[in-house]
Amino acid sequence: MNASVRTFRGPDPRSALDAVRSALGEEAIILKTREVGGFFGKKEIEITATGLGNGDPDSRNRSLDLESEISALRRIVEQLRAEVRSNKAEPRIPAGRSASPLSPAAAAVTRRLVERGGEPVIVDELVREAVRAAAGHGEREILESLREGIRRRLSPALPPWRGEGRRVIALVGPPGVGKTTTIAKIAARALLESKLKVVLVTVDTYRIGASEHIGRYGEIMGVPTHLARDQAGLRAAMAAAADAQLVLIDTAGRSDPAALEAQSQLLKAAPETEQHLVLSAATGGRELRAAIRRFKSRGVSRFILTKLDETDGPASVLSVTTEMACPISCVTNGQRVPDDLHPATSPLLVELALGKGD
Ligand SMILES: Nc1nc2c(ncn2[C@@H]2O[C@H](COP(=O)(O)OP(=O)(O)OP(=O)(O)O)[C@@H](O)[C@H]2O)c(=O)[nH]1
Ligand SMILES: [Mg+2]
């Protein structure tokens, strides 16, 4: 989801800040401050700010709390005072955590990413990094440097349907993100484009109709499908798929730790398995990070981003990079099998975060 950017006014910096804090909470990030004409020609302070949300149980946000927020707010107040004193209310971004305010060009880039769904705290970090590495101070140079930073963080990996040699790939992830549909897309692409010998396996004995679901796809594509209920079943399926070039394992979408643990144990019966974590891009940044935290210790080595067609805040994908550094193997942008499946390329990933153009 997009973090909302809002403006607040007050007769003086303190009241404007109080308005920001009571609406957006202590974790608000100030994007811009300026002096504007208020009622009866009286000057007012206008603050543009965005919220980080409240009550996030997640430790990253917790670590930003209290002392850093208080000192950030103190800096904001001092800066506003200085601006009002010098009667020069230039746009500034007194950042949540960092000592130095952002330049107007960097603030513009920050706004752009936040408006595209980037989590403010992550955007702030990325933009500051970009400013430090930029060849100049203009928006164009900052954007160029930011693109490079995003390319480093969101790196593409070989898509599952390409590559030399045998691959065994399990798609794991939260419920309903598109694991089964993506398996069908990958299988079809592997058959049509790479002419691979494909076998489908499902270990999803949780959802009613799950094995029929994948079995139906297998039938349509003329691909063998095996249901594995336990480790012995998975070993048997892997033996039956010994000559396949691509084995795709569908898993149950579970979020509770005990069920995830049981599934991880089951997958150990197929030790050559690469686990690709499927994440819906239509999920907000914090939810993405929470999902990654549930899966990261379970041997995941790639991400797959689905539902790009459903999101209006695709820059939320930047959040995946802070939780776990892992390349992205493919993306999907619709329900059509196999059309709505694409390799993750650097230009595409940068475009997700920054949008088209410049
Ligand atoms: N809009 C859109 N819908 C998608 C995409 N990928 C999958 N879906 C839809 O998402 C819904 C759930 O897809 P599934 O493939 O069943 O998801 P899953 O992860 O296997 O679900 P569980 O097995 O229940 O955890 C279906 O309606 C799919 O058609 C996508 O890229 N875009
Ligand atoms: Mg499924």
Side-chain angles (χ1 to χ4, degrees), residues 112-113 115-118 150 154 281 305-309 311-318 320 328 330-333 343-356:
R112 175 166 164 181
L113 281 167
E115 279 165 9
R116 282 184 66 77
I150 294 172
L154 295 177
L305 295 172
T306 58
K307 309 200 182 187
L308 294 183
D309 56 310
T311 176
D312 66 345
S316 65
V317 304
L318 290 170
V320 304
I328 298 169
C330 57
V331 301
T332 78
N333 63 343
T345 61
S346 262
L348 187 142
L349 295 173
V350 171
E351 189 187 313
L352 275 184
L354 272 176
K356 277 193 180 18

PDB file of all heavy atoms in Angstrom, residues 112-113 115-118 150 154 281 305-309 311-318 320 328 330-333 343-356:
ATOM      1  N   ARG A 112       8.896  10.839  -4.410  1.00  0.00           N
ATOM      2  CA  ARG A 112       8.511   9.995  -5.542  1.00  0.00           C
ATOM      3  C   ARG A 112       8.449   8.514  -5.137  1.00  0.00           C
ATOM      4  O   ARG A 112       7.508   7.809  -5.462  1.00  0.00           O
ATOM      5  CB  ARG A 112       9.535  10.208  -6.658  1.00  0.00           C
ATOM      6  CG  ARG A 112       9.356   9.319  -7.846  1.00  0.00           C
ATOM      7  CD  ARG A 112      10.185   9.871  -8.979  1.00  0.00           C
ATOM      8  NE  ARG A 112      10.369   8.892 -10.017  1.00  0.00           N
ATOM      9  CZ  ARG A 112      11.067   9.121 -11.113  1.00  0.00           C
ATOM     10  NH1 ARG A 112      11.632  10.302 -11.289  1.00  0.00           N
ATOM     11  NH2 ARG A 112      11.193   8.199 -12.025  1.00  0.00           N
ATOM     12  N   LEU A 113       9.449   8.082  -4.394  1.00  0.00           N
ATOM     13  CA  LEU A 113       9.489   6.676  -3.984  1.00  0.00           C
ATOM     14  C   LEU A 113       8.417   6.363  -2.941  1.00  0.00           C
ATOM     15  O   LEU A 113       7.800   5.306  -2.977  1.00  0.00           O
ATOM     16  CB  LEU A 113      10.869   6.332  -3.415  1.00  0.00           C
ATOM     17  CG  LEU A 113      11.950   6.087  -4.443  1.00  0.00           C
ATOM     18  CD1 LEU A 113      13.313   6.067  -3.786  1.00  0.00           C
ATOM     19  CD2 LEU A 113      11.719   4.767  -5.157  1.00  0.00           C
ATOM     20  N   GLU A 115       5.587   7.899  -2.609  1.00  0.00           N
ATOM     21  CA  GLU A 115       4.288   7.896  -3.276  1.00  0.00           C
ATOM     22  C   GLU A 115       4.066   6.623  -4.086  1.00  0.00           C
ATOM     23  O   GLU A 115       2.946   6.241  -4.361  1.00  0.00           O
ATOM     24  CB  GLU A 115       4.142   9.142  -4.170  1.00  0.00           C
ATOM     25  CG  GLU A 115       3.746  10.340  -3.329  1.00  0.00           C
ATOM     26  CD  GLU A 115       3.915  11.674  -4.035  1.00  0.00           C
ATOM     27  OE1 GLU A 115       4.192  11.685  -5.253  1.00  0.00           O
ATOM     28  OE2 GLU A 115       3.785  12.699  -3.345  1.00  0.00           O
ATOM     29  N   ARG A 116       5.147   5.950  -4.459  1.00  0.00           N
ATOM     30  CA  ARG A 116       5.011   4.671  -5.177  1.00  0.00           C
ATOM     31  C   ARG A 116       4.950   3.476  -4.221  1.00  0.00           C
ATOM     32  O   ARG A 116       5.056   2.347  -4.640  1.00  0.00           O
ATOM     33  CB  ARG A 116       6.199   4.468  -6.129  1.00  0.00           C
ATOM     34  CG  ARG A 116       6.096   5.253  -7.396  1.00  0.00           C
ATOM     35  CD  ARG A 116       7.234   4.928  -8.319  1.00  0.00           C
ATOM     36  NE  ARG A 116       7.206   3.551  -8.820  1.00  0.00           N
ATOM     37  CZ  ARG A 116       6.401   3.119  -9.771  1.00  0.00           C
ATOM     38  NH1 ARG A 116       5.543   3.953 -10.325  1.00  0.00           N
ATOM     39  NH2 ARG A 116       6.450   1.859 -10.171  1.00  0.00           N
ATOM     40  N   GLY A 117       4.824   3.747  -2.930  1.00  0.00           N
ATOM     41  CA  GLY A 117       4.634   2.646  -1.986  1.00  0.00           C
ATOM     42  C   GLY A 117       5.885   2.254  -1.229  1.00  0.00           C
ATOM     43  O   GLY A 117       5.860   1.294  -0.466  1.00  0.00           O
ATOM     44  N   GLY A 118       6.992   2.967  -1.446  1.00  0.00           N
ATOM     45  CA  GLY A 118       8.222   2.657  -0.706  1.00  0.00           C
ATOM     46  C   GLY A 118       8.035   2.980   0.769  1.00  0.00           C
ATOM     47  O   GLY A 118       7.431   3.999   1.113  1.00  0.00           O
ATOM     48  N   ILE A 150      19.519   0.657  -6.412  1.00  0.00           N
ATOM     49  CA  ILE A 150      18.390  -0.282  -6.515  1.00  0.00           C
ATOM     50  C   ILE A 150      18.830  -1.524  -7.292  1.00  0.00           C
ATOM     51  O   ILE A 150      18.494  -2.650  -6.931  1.00  0.00           O
ATOM     52  CB  ILE A 150      17.176   0.396  -7.192  1.00  0.00           C
ATOM     53  CG1 ILE A 150      16.645   1.508  -6.285  1.00  0.00           C
ATOM     54  CG2 ILE A 150      16.082  -0.625  -7.480  1.00  0.00           C
ATOM     55  CD1 ILE A 150      15.577   2.377  -6.906  1.00  0.00           C
ATOM     56  N   LEU A 154      18.132  -5.027  -5.712  1.00  0.00           N
ATOM     57  CA  LEU A 154      17.146  -5.926  -6.318  1.00  0.00           C
ATOM     58  C   LEU A 154      17.815  -6.611  -7.499  1.00  0.00           C
ATOM     59  O   LEU A 154      17.704  -6.173  -8.631  1.00  0.00           O
ATOM     60  CB  LEU A 154      15.929  -5.139  -6.815  1.00  0.00           C
ATOM     61  CG  LEU A 154      15.055  -4.428  -5.792  1.00  0.00           C
ATOM     62  CD1 LEU A 154      13.943  -3.649  -6.487  1.00  0.00           C
ATOM     63  CD2 LEU A 154      14.429  -5.410  -4.812  1.00  0.00           C
ATOM     64  N   ALA A 281       3.515  -8.774  -4.713  1.00  0.00           N
ATOM     65  CA  ALA A 281       3.953  -7.374  -4.745  1.00  0.00           C
ATOM     66  C   ALA A 281       2.819  -6.445  -4.317  1.00  0.00           C
ATOM     67  O   ALA A 281       3.047  -5.275  -4.028  1.00  0.00           O
ATOM     68  CB  ALA A 281       4.433  -7.008  -6.150  1.00  0.00           C
ATOM     69  N   LEU A 305       8.269 -12.493  -7.353  1.00  0.00           N
ATOM     70  CA  LEU A 305       7.268 -11.472  -7.041  1.00  0.00           C
ATOM     71  C   LEU A 305       6.049 -11.676  -7.928  1.00  0.00           C
ATOM     72  O   LEU A 305       6.173 -11.701  -9.156  1.00  0.00           O
ATOM     73  CB  LEU A 305       7.834 -10.073  -7.297  1.00  0.00           C
ATOM     74  CG  LEU A 305       8.990  -9.629  -6.416  1.00  0.00           C
ATOM     75  CD1 LEU A 305       9.546  -8.307  -6.926  1.00  0.00           C
ATOM     76  CD2 LEU A 305       8.525  -9.483  -4.966  1.00  0.00           C
ATOM     77  N   THR A 306       4.877 -11.807  -7.299  1.00  0.00           N
ATOM     78  CA  THR A 306       3.650 -12.012  -8.079  1.00  0.00           C
ATOM     79  C   THR A 306       2.736 -10.796  -7.975  1.00  0.00           C
ATOM     80  O   THR A 306       2.970  -9.896  -7.163  1.00  0.00           O
ATOM     81  CB  THR A 306       2.877 -13.233  -7.546  1.00  0.00           C
ATOM     82  OG1 THR A 306       2.579 -12.999  -6.167  1.00  0.00           O
ATOM     83  CG2 THR A 306       3.686 -14.511  -7.687  1.00  0.00           C
ATOM     84  N   LYS A 307       1.700 -10.810  -8.788  1.00  0.00           N
ATOM     85  CA  LYS A 307       0.603  -9.828  -8.722  1.00  0.00           C
ATOM     86  C   LYS A 307       1.067  -8.391  -8.932  1.00  0.00           C
ATOM     87  O   LYS A 307       0.531  -7.471  -8.296  1.00  0.00           O
ATOM     88  CB  LYS A 307      -0.181  -9.982  -7.406  1.00  0.00           C
ATOM     89  CG  LYS A 307      -0.601 -11.436  -7.155  1.00  0.00           C
ATOM     90  CD  LYS A 307      -1.731 -11.584  -6.184  1.00  0.00           C
ATOM     91  CE  LYS A 307      -2.053 -13.063  -5.965  1.00  0.00           C
ATOM     92  NZ  LYS A 307      -3.215 -13.346  -5.181  1.00  0.00           N
ATOM     93  N   LEU A 308       2.079  -8.205  -9.778  1.00  0.00           N
ATOM     94  CA  LEU A 308       2.523  -6.836 -10.074  1.00  0.00           C
ATOM     95  C   LEU A 308       1.372  -6.037 -10.671  1.00  0.00           C
ATOM     96  O   LEU A 308       1.330  -4.814 -10.564  1.00  0.00           O
ATOM     97  CB  LEU A 308       3.694  -6.850 -11.061  1.00  0.00           C
ATOM     98  CG  LEU A 308       4.993  -7.461 -10.551  1.00  0.00           C
ATOM     99  CD1 LEU A 308       6.080  -7.338 -11.592  1.00  0.00           C
ATOM    100  CD2 LEU A 308       5.421  -6.778  -9.271  1.00  0.00           C
ATOM    101  N   ASP A 309       0.450  -6.740 -11.331  1.00  0.00           N
ATOM    102  CA  ASP A 309      -0.698  -6.052 -11.948  1.00  0.00           C
ATOM    103  C   ASP A 309      -1.665  -5.518 -10.899  1.00  0.00           C
ATOM    104  O   ASP A 309      -2.483  -4.667 -11.196  1.00  0.00           O
ATOM    105  CB  ASP A 309      -1.447  -7.026 -12.868  1.00  0.00           C
ATOM    106  CG  ASP A 309      -1.892  -8.294 -12.124  1.00  0.00           C
ATOM    107  OD1 ASP A 309      -1.054  -8.903 -11.437  1.00  0.00           O
ATOM    108  OD2 ASP A 309      -3.082  -8.657 -12.221  1.00  0.00           O
ATOM    109  N   THR A 311      -0.851  -4.095  -7.901  1.00  0.00           N
ATOM    110  CA  THR A 311      -0.334  -3.137  -6.927  1.00  0.00           C
ATOM    111  C   THR A 311      -0.275  -1.721  -7.489  1.00  0.00           C
ATOM    112  O   THR A 311       0.049  -1.525  -8.647  1.00  0.00           O
ATOM    113  CB  THR A 311       1.069  -3.546  -6.429  1.00  0.00           C
ATOM    114  OG1 THR A 311       1.551  -2.523  -5.563  1.00  0.00           O
ATOM    115  CG2 THR A 311       2.067  -3.747  -7.553  1.00  0.00           C
ATOM    116  N   ASP A 312      -0.609  -0.752  -6.630  1.00  0.00           N
ATOM    117  CA  ASP A 312      -0.373   0.630  -7.043  1.00  0.00           C
ATOM    118  C   ASP A 312       0.806   1.197  -6.256  1.00  0.00           C
ATOM    119  O   ASP A 312       1.121   2.367  -6.360  1.00  0.00           O
ATOM    120  CB  ASP A 312      -1.629   1.494  -6.882  1.00  0.00           C
ATOM    121  CG  ASP A 312      -2.018   1.653  -5.419  1.00  0.00           C
ATOM    122  OD1 ASP A 312      -1.504   0.878  -4.589  1.00  0.00           O
ATOM    123  OD2 ASP A 312      -2.831   2.540  -5.119  1.00  0.00           O
ATOM    124  N   GLY A 313       1.442   0.340  -5.485  1.00  0.00           N
ATOM    125  CA  GLY A 313       2.620   0.790  -4.731  1.00  0.00           C
ATOM    126  C   GLY A 313       3.760  -0.193  -4.885  1.00  0.00           C
ATOM    127  O   GLY A 313       4.252  -0.756  -3.904  1.00  0.00           O
ATOM    128  N   PRO A 314       4.228  -0.407  -6.140  1.00  0.00           N
ATOM    129  CA  PRO A 314       5.225  -1.466  -6.356  1.00  0.00           C
ATOM    130  C   PRO A 314       6.572  -1.205  -5.684  1.00  0.00           C
ATOM    131  O   PRO A 314       7.348  -2.137  -5.501  1.00  0.00           O
ATOM    132  CB  PRO A 314       5.380  -1.510  -7.885  1.00  0.00           C
ATOM    133  CG  PRO A 314       4.945  -0.165  -8.352  1.00  0.00           C
ATOM    134  CD  PRO A 314       3.903   0.303  -7.383  1.00  0.00           C
ATOM    135  N   ALA A 315       6.819   0.052  -5.293  1.00  0.00           N
ATOM    136  CA  ALA A 315       8.113   0.325  -4.651  1.00  0.00           C
ATOM    137  C   ALA A 315       8.201  -0.342  -3.274  1.00  0.00           C
ATOM    138  O   ALA A 315       9.264  -0.368  -2.662  1.00  0.00           O
ATOM    139  CB  ALA A 315       8.349   1.823  -4.535  1.00  0.00           C
ATOM    140  N   SER A 316       7.080  -0.899  -2.809  1.00  0.00           N
ATOM    141  CA  SER A 316       7.141  -1.637  -1.537  1.00  0.00           C
ATOM    142  C   SER A 316       8.119  -2.805  -1.656  1.00  0.00           C
ATOM    143  O   SER A 316       8.622  -3.288  -0.643  1.00  0.00           O
ATOM    144  CB  SER A 316       5.760  -2.156  -1.131  1.00  0.00           C
ATOM    145  OG  SER A 316       5.299  -3.107  -2.068  1.00  0.00           O
ATOM    146  N   VAL A 317       8.417  -3.246  -2.886  1.00  0.00           N
ATOM    147  CA  VAL A 317       9.356  -4.386  -3.043  1.00  0.00           C
ATOM    148  C   VAL A 317      10.750  -4.038  -2.520  1.00  0.00           C
ATOM    149  O   VAL A 317      11.533  -4.936  -2.226  1.00  0.00           O
ATOM    150  CB  VAL A 317       9.474  -4.889  -4.503  1.00  0.00           C
ATOM    151  CG1 VAL A 317       8.117  -5.260  -5.060  1.00  0.00           C
ATOM    152  CG2 VAL A 317      10.187  -3.912  -5.383  1.00  0.00           C
ATOM    153  N   LEU A 318      11.044  -2.755  -2.394  1.00  0.00           N
ATOM    154  CA  LEU A 318      12.349  -2.379  -1.837  1.00  0.00           C
ATOM    155  C   LEU A 318      12.517  -2.931  -0.429  1.00  0.00           C
ATOM    156  O   LEU A 318      13.630  -3.158   0.037  1.00  0.00           O
ATOM    157  CB  LEU A 318      12.491  -0.855  -1.798  1.00  0.00           C
ATOM    158  CG  LEU A 318      12.629  -0.176  -3.156  1.00  0.00           C
ATOM    159  CD1 LEU A 318      12.507   1.322  -3.009  1.00  0.00           C
ATOM    160  CD2 LEU A 318      13.960  -0.561  -3.789  1.00  0.00           C
ATOM    161  N   VAL A 320      11.925  -5.827   0.602  1.00  0.00           N
ATOM    162  CA  VAL A 320      12.461  -7.190   0.672  1.00  0.00           C
ATOM    163  C   VAL A 320      13.978  -7.151   0.848  1.00  0.00           C
ATOM    164  O   VAL A 320      14.554  -8.028   1.467  1.00  0.00           O
ATOM    165  CB  VAL A 320      12.111  -8.069  -0.571  1.00  0.00           C
ATOM    166  CG1 VAL A 320      10.617  -8.130  -0.819  1.00  0.00           C
ATOM    167  CG2 VAL A 320      12.861  -7.641  -1.802  1.00  0.00           C
ATOM    168  N   ILE A 328      16.028 -12.128  -7.357  1.00  0.00           N
ATOM    169  CA  ILE A 328      14.630 -12.364  -7.744  1.00  0.00           C
ATOM    170  C   ILE A 328      14.624 -13.178  -9.041  1.00  0.00           C
ATOM    171  O   ILE A 328      15.250 -12.773 -10.029  1.00  0.00           O
ATOM    172  CB  ILE A 328      13.912 -11.003  -7.919  1.00  0.00           C
ATOM    173  CG1 ILE A 328      13.933 -10.268  -6.569  1.00  0.00           C
ATOM    174  CG2 ILE A 328      12.488 -11.191  -8.424  1.00  0.00           C
ATOM    175  CD1 ILE A 328      13.516  -8.840  -6.621  1.00  0.00           C
ATOM    176  N   CYS A 330      11.887 -14.483 -10.937  1.00  0.00           N
ATOM    177  CA  CYS A 330      10.912 -14.112 -11.968  1.00  0.00           C
ATOM    178  C   CYS A 330       9.793 -13.302 -11.330  1.00  0.00           C
ATOM    179  O   CYS A 330       9.726 -13.198 -10.100  1.00  0.00           O
ATOM    180  CB  CYS A 330      10.355 -15.348 -12.687  1.00  0.00           C
ATOM    181  SG  CYS A 330       9.579 -16.560 -11.620  1.00  0.00           S
ATOM    182  N   VAL A 331       8.962 -12.727 -12.182  1.00  0.00           N
ATOM    183  CA  VAL A 331       7.836 -11.933 -11.675  1.00  0.00           C
ATOM    184  C   VAL A 331       6.580 -12.326 -12.454  1.00  0.00           C
ATOM    185  O   VAL A 331       6.676 -12.822 -13.574  1.00  0.00           O
ATOM    186  CB  VAL A 331       8.088 -10.409 -11.849  1.00  0.00           C
ATOM    187  CG1 VAL A 331       9.341  -9.967 -11.114  1.00  0.00           C
ATOM    188  CG2 VAL A 331       8.164 -10.020 -13.318  1.00  0.00           C
ATOM    189  N   THR A 332       5.419 -12.109 -11.852  1.00  0.00           N
ATOM    190  CA  THR A 332       4.179 -12.373 -12.589  1.00  0.00           C
ATOM    191  C   THR A 332       3.283 -11.140 -12.502  1.00  0.00           C
ATOM    192  O   THR A 332       3.321 -10.394 -11.529  1.00  0.00           O
ATOM    193  CB  THR A 332       3.409 -13.597 -12.022  1.00  0.00           C
ATOM    194  OG1 THR A 332       2.711 -13.211 -10.831  1.00  0.00           O
ATOM    195  CG2 THR A 332       4.338 -14.761 -11.718  1.00  0.00           C
ATOM    196  N   ASN A 333       2.518 -10.939 -13.558  1.00  0.00           N
ATOM    197  CA  ASN A 333       1.665  -9.748 -13.573  1.00  0.00           C
ATOM    198  C   ASN A 333       0.271 -10.049 -14.101  1.00  0.00           C
ATOM    199  O   ASN A 333      -0.282  -9.304 -14.897  1.00  0.00           O
ATOM    200  CB  ASN A 333       2.321  -8.621 -14.383  1.00  0.00           C
ATOM    201  CG  ASN A 333       2.503  -8.999 -15.831  1.00  0.00           C
ATOM    202  OD1 ASN A 333       2.431 -10.178 -16.168  1.00  0.00           O
ATOM    203  ND2 ASN A 333       2.733  -8.024 -16.689  1.00  0.00           N
ATOM    204  N   PRO A 343      10.926 -13.060 -16.845  1.00  0.00           N
ATOM    205  CA  PRO A 343      12.198 -13.062 -16.115  1.00  0.00           C
ATOM    206  C   PRO A 343      12.332 -11.739 -15.362  1.00  0.00           C
ATOM    207  O   PRO A 343      11.800 -10.715 -15.807  1.00  0.00           O
ATOM    208  CB  PRO A 343      13.256 -13.132 -17.219  1.00  0.00           C
ATOM    209  CG  PRO A 343      12.532 -13.527 -18.457  1.00  0.00           C
ATOM    210  CD  PRO A 343      11.111 -13.089 -18.303  1.00  0.00           C
ATOM    211  N   ALA A 344      13.006 -11.761 -14.228  1.00  0.00           N
ATOM    212  CA  ALA A 344      13.247 -10.500 -13.507  1.00  0.00           C
ATOM    213  C   ALA A 344      14.514  -9.890 -14.105  1.00  0.00           C
ATOM    214  O   ALA A 344      15.581 -10.470 -13.985  1.00  0.00           O
ATOM    215  CB  ALA A 344      13.459 -10.803 -12.029  1.00  0.00           C
ATOM    216  N   THR A 345      14.365  -8.757 -14.756  1.00  0.00           N
ATOM    217  CA  THR A 345      15.558  -8.097 -15.298  1.00  0.00           C
ATOM    218  C   THR A 345      15.841  -6.839 -14.481  1.00  0.00           C
ATOM    219  O   THR A 345      14.929  -6.299 -13.841  1.00  0.00           O
ATOM    220  CB  THR A 345      15.338  -7.661 -16.759  1.00  0.00           C
ATOM    221  OG1 THR A 345      14.250  -6.726 -16.766  1.00  0.00           O
ATOM    222  CG2 THR A 345      15.000  -8.846 -17.648  1.00  0.00           C
ATOM    223  N   SER A 346      17.071  -6.376 -14.545  1.00  0.00           N
ATOM    224  CA  SER A 346      17.413  -5.166 -13.786  1.00  0.00           C
ATOM    225  C   SER A 346      16.553  -3.966 -14.166  1.00  0.00           C
ATOM    226  O   SER A 346      16.023  -3.289 -13.273  1.00  0.00           O
ATOM    227  CB  SER A 346      18.878  -4.816 -13.995  1.00  0.00           C
ATOM    228  OG  SER A 346      19.610  -5.301 -12.914  1.00  0.00           O
ATOM    229  N   PRO A 347      16.373  -3.673 -15.489  1.00  0.00           N
ATOM    230  CA  PRO A 347      15.546  -2.515 -15.823  1.00  0.00           C
ATOM    231  C   PRO A 347      14.125  -2.641 -15.270  1.00  0.00           C
ATOM    232  O   PRO A 347      13.550  -1.671 -14.778  1.00  0.00           O
ATOM    233  CB  PRO A 347      15.518  -2.528 -17.362  1.00  0.00           C
ATOM    234  CG  PRO A 347      16.714  -3.321 -17.765  1.00  0.00           C
ATOM    235  CD  PRO A 347      16.961  -4.306 -16.676  1.00  0.00           C
ATOM    236  N   LEU A 348      13.573  -3.871 -15.311  1.00  0.00           N
ATOM    237  CA  LEU A 348      12.212  -4.059 -14.810  1.00  0.00           C
ATOM    238  C   LEU A 348      12.151  -3.811 -13.297  1.00  0.00           C
ATOM    239  O   LEU A 348      11.241  -3.156 -12.800  1.00  0.00           O
ATOM    240  CB  LEU A 348      11.766  -5.481 -15.136  1.00  0.00           C
ATOM    241  CG  LEU A 348      10.313  -5.831 -14.836  1.00  0.00           C
ATOM    242  CD1 LEU A 348       9.774  -6.746 -15.923  1.00  0.00           C
ATOM    243  CD2 LEU A 348      10.144  -6.496 -13.494  1.00  0.00           C
ATOM    244  N   LEU A 349      13.154  -4.297 -12.580  1.00  0.00           N
ATOM    245  CA  LEU A 349      13.147  -4.141 -11.120  1.00  0.00           C
ATOM    246  C   LEU A 349      13.333  -2.672 -10.729  1.00  0.00           C
ATOM    247  O   LEU A 349      12.708  -2.181  -9.796  1.00  0.00           O
ATOM    248  CB  LEU A 349      14.224  -5.021 -10.487  1.00  0.00           C
ATOM    249  CG  LEU A 349      13.992  -6.533 -10.660  1.00  0.00           C
ATOM    250  CD1 LEU A 349      15.183  -7.338 -10.154  1.00  0.00           C
ATOM    251  CD2 LEU A 349      12.716  -6.979  -9.952  1.00  0.00           C
ATOM    252  N   VAL A 350      14.182  -1.977 -11.476  1.00  0.00           N
ATOM    253  CA  VAL A 350      14.384  -0.548 -11.188  1.00  0.00           C
ATOM    254  C   VAL A 350      13.094   0.212 -11.494  1.00  0.00           C
ATOM    255  O   VAL A 350      12.673   1.090 -10.741  1.00  0.00           O
ATOM    256  CB  VAL A 350      15.564   0.018 -12.009  1.00  0.00           C
ATOM    257  CG1 VAL A 350      15.634   1.529 -11.896  1.00  0.00           C
ATOM    258  CG2 VAL A 350      16.875  -0.601 -11.547  1.00  0.00           C
ATOM    259  N   GLU A 351      12.437  -0.181 -12.580  1.00  0.00           N
ATOM    260  CA  GLU A 351      11.188   0.492 -12.951  1.00  0.00           C
ATOM    261  C   GLU A 351      10.095   0.277 -11.895  1.00  0.00           C
ATOM    262  O   GLU A 351       9.294   1.164 -11.628  1.00  0.00           O
ATOM    263  CB  GLU A 351      10.730  -0.033 -14.315  1.00  0.00           C
ATOM    264  CG  GLU A 351       9.567   0.757 -14.865  1.00  0.00           C
ATOM    265  CD  GLU A 351       8.999   0.124 -16.130  1.00  0.00           C
ATOM    266  OE1 GLU A 351       9.809  -0.230 -17.013  1.00  0.00           O
ATOM    267  OE2 GLU A 351       7.767  -0.017 -16.215  1.00  0.00           O
ATOM    268  N   LEU A 352      10.099  -0.918 -11.283  1.00  0.00           N
ATOM    269  CA  LEU A 352       9.113  -1.177 -10.224  1.00  0.00           C
ATOM    270  C   LEU A 352       9.247  -0.152  -9.105  1.00  0.00           C
ATOM    271  O   LEU A 352       8.271   0.375  -8.607  1.00  0.00           O
ATOM    272  CB  LEU A 352       9.366  -2.545  -9.600  1.00  0.00           C
ATOM    273  CG  LEU A 352       8.783  -3.764 -10.260  1.00  0.00           C
ATOM    274  CD1 LEU A 352       9.071  -4.988  -9.405  1.00  0.00           C
ATOM    275  CD2 LEU A 352       7.284  -3.601 -10.429  1.00  0.00           C
ATOM    276  N   ALA A 353      10.492   0.106  -8.732  1.00  0.00           N
ATOM    277  CA  ALA A 353      10.726   1.018  -7.617  1.00  0.00           C
ATOM    278  C   ALA A 353      10.527   2.480  -8.023  1.00  0.00           C
ATOM    279  O   ALA A 353       9.918   3.251  -7.291  1.00  0.00           O
ATOM    280  CB  ALA A 353      12.133   0.806  -7.076  1.00  0.00           C
ATOM    281  N   LEU A 354      11.018   2.826  -9.193  1.00  0.00           N
ATOM    282  CA  LEU A 354      11.081   4.246  -9.551  1.00  0.00           C
ATOM    283  C   LEU A 354      10.037   4.691 -10.570  1.00  0.00           C
ATOM    284  O   LEU A 354       9.837   5.880 -10.778  1.00  0.00           O
ATOM    285  CB  LEU A 354      12.454   4.561 -10.132  1.00  0.00           C
ATOM    286  CG  LEU A 354      13.531   4.952  -9.147  1.00  0.00           C
ATOM    287  CD1 LEU A 354      14.842   5.145  -9.859  1.00  0.00           C
ATOM    288  CD2 LEU A 354      13.142   6.212  -8.399  1.00  0.00           C
ATOM    289  N   GLY A 355       9.419   3.732 -11.239  1.00  0.00           N
ATOM    290  CA  GLY A 355       8.482   4.084 -12.297  1.00  0.00           C
ATOM    291  C   GLY A 355       9.221   4.303 -13.608  1.00  0.00           C
ATOM    292  O   GLY A 355      10.447   4.244 -13.652  1.00  0.00           O
ATOM    293  N   LYS A 356       8.428   4.547 -14.637  1.00  0.00           N
ATOM    294  CA  LYS A 356       9.020   4.738 -15.971  1.00  0.00           C
ATOM    295  C   LYS A 356       9.623   6.141 -16.082  1.00  0.00           C
ATOM    296  O   LYS A 356       9.293   7.017 -15.297  1.00  0.00           O
ATOM    297  CB  LYS A 356       7.923   4.624 -17.033  1.00  0.00           C
ATOM    298  CG  LYS A 356       7.588   3.211 -17.453  1.00  0.00           C
ATOM    299  CD  LYS A 356       6.735   3.315 -18.717  1.00  0.00           C
ATOM    300  CE  LYS A 356       6.289   2.062 -19.324  1.00  0.00           C
ATOM    301  NZ  LYS A 356       6.246   0.810 -18.759  1.00  0.00           N
TER     302      LYS A 356
END
